[in-house]
Amino acid sequence: DASFFCFHCRDPKYLKEIQPESNWGYHDYRDADIANYVAAAERVAERGHIALRMGAVVGKPVHSTSRSVLDYARNYRCDFMDIYLGAKCRFLLTCDTGISIVPEVFKRPVVYANFVPIARPSTWVRDALIIPKKLFLRNEERLMTFSEIVDSGLGVAGDSSQFEELGVEIRENTPEEITAVAIEMEDRISGTWEYGGDDEKLQDEVWSILGVGNRRSPGFRFGAQFLRDNAALVS
């Protein structure tokens, strides 16, 4: 009867092991470092939940001092439990990767960190939060705004070479950013989330830039703290 949530991020090991004859580097811009998710897992686990690291074939192990954070992917996983856990979890903390389909189908909340390309989120998901990777222009030594990302075509990019051609460095979300959006989801589920003064204005602006508008579930939102901290990019 324990309450549990799941976390996962995409790394290259699965495809390299399952289909080693293919070159999957064209979409490695979607990969992320699981180490950056551990702090978020530990913080949510402190609220009285068990954290389960998901994945079929994974790279790095999860290192945590919390007894409530379990590396299910490396020690316990099986096909049936992948579906069961995804269908029953409190929420899934993940990135742009296939395992999110399970909680999406079973209408469980999903938190997408390190999401890219940002103009192609799964906006039909009923309850979701999203924060994107940041795109850094090397020549100008600055971050791209959301408008620049969309106008350049990188908002829907499907190949790592497209970022390289424009001299863009892809920067992952920090542990602090991932923790903030995970705690926001936990607070929303618990009914304790409190809005800030400009939260709705920033939400409207960023979705307008992405061209999604009303074509999304009302419960699909950008992480509030991410937008507060990066309001200058919403232009």
Side-chain angles (χ1 to χ4, degrees):
D1 296 326
S3 174
F4 66 91
F5 67 99
C6 303
F7 69 105
H8 171 268
C9 78
R10 186 182 190 275
D11 67 46
K13 187 172 182 179
Y14 176 82
L15 289 174
K16 286 181 179 179
E17 186 166 316
I18 299 301
Q19 295 187 18
E21 71 282 357
S22 300
N23 180 7
W24 296 102
Y26 75 90
H27 63 175
D28 58 9
Y29 62 87
R30 298 165 57 200
D31 294 342
D33 188 344
I34 193 64
N36 292 330
Y37 286 68
V38 175
E42 291 174 338
R43 281 287 305 280
V44 178
E46 290 173 1
R47 304 284 186 95
H49 314 295
I50 295 173
L52 300 170
R53 187 269 187 96
M54 306 295 288
V57 179
V58 297
K60 288 184 178 180
V62 163
H63 297 291
S64 173
T65 58
S66 172
R67 295 181 64 184
S68 296
V69 178
L70 305 180
D71 201 343
Y72 159 84
R74 295 177 66 90
N75 299 300
Y76 311 106
R77 86 156 289 276
C78 67
D79 290 344
F80 173 80
M81 286 301 294
D82 283 353
I83 304 302
Y84 180 87
L85 295 173
K88 299 292 186 178
C89 63
R90 187 169 177 84
F91 68 90
L92 170 68
L93 169 62
T94 186
C95 59
D96 175 23
T97 187
I99 200 170
S100 66
I101 291 173
V102 180
E104 289 169 4
V105 167
F106 286 95
K107 299 183 180 179
R108 306 309 302 151
V110 182
V111 178
Y112 305 92
N114 285 309
F115 198 93
V116 65
I118 195 52
R120 295 195 310 192
S122 303
T123 51
W124 59 84
V125 179
R126 185 171 64 180
D127 298 300
L129 293 172
I130 186 171
I131 59 174
K133 290 182 179 179
K134 297 174 183 176
L135 304 186
F136 184 79
L137 289 168
R138 296 190 184 98
N139 290 342
E140 301 182 33
E141 297 186 342
R142 65 174 180 85
L143 295 173
M144 297 181 74
T145 66
F146 284 100
S147 293
E148 289 174 329
I149 292 171
V150 171
D151 292 343
S152 69
L154 294 181
V156 293
D159 195 301
S160 297
S161 64
Q162 293 174 262
F163 297 91
E164 286 296 326
E165 289 169 1
L166 294 178
V168 170
E169 175 187 324
I170 303 173
R171 295 185 172 180
E172 291 189 30
N173 295 133
T174 65
E176 293 77 16
E177 289 172 335
I178 298 172
T179 299
V181 72
I183 291 297
E184 178 181 348
M185 178 58 81
E186 171 60 22
D187 285 347
R188 287 183 178 278
I189 294 172
S190 300
T192 60
W193 174 253
E194 296 182 1
Y195 290 91
D198 292 330
D199 285 351
E200 293 308 303
K201 178 176 179 290
L202 289 168
Q203 288 288 328
D204 292 342
E205 289 177 352
V206 73
W207 288 114
S208 176
I209 291 169
L210 297 181
V212 175
N214 293 325
R215 294 181 292 105
R216 65 179 176 91
S217 300
F220 196 109
R221 300 173 60 87
F222 268 77
Q225 192 61 52
F226 182 89
L227 290 185
R228 295 168 193 167
D229 294 342
N230 297 280
L233 303 182
V234 187
S235 62

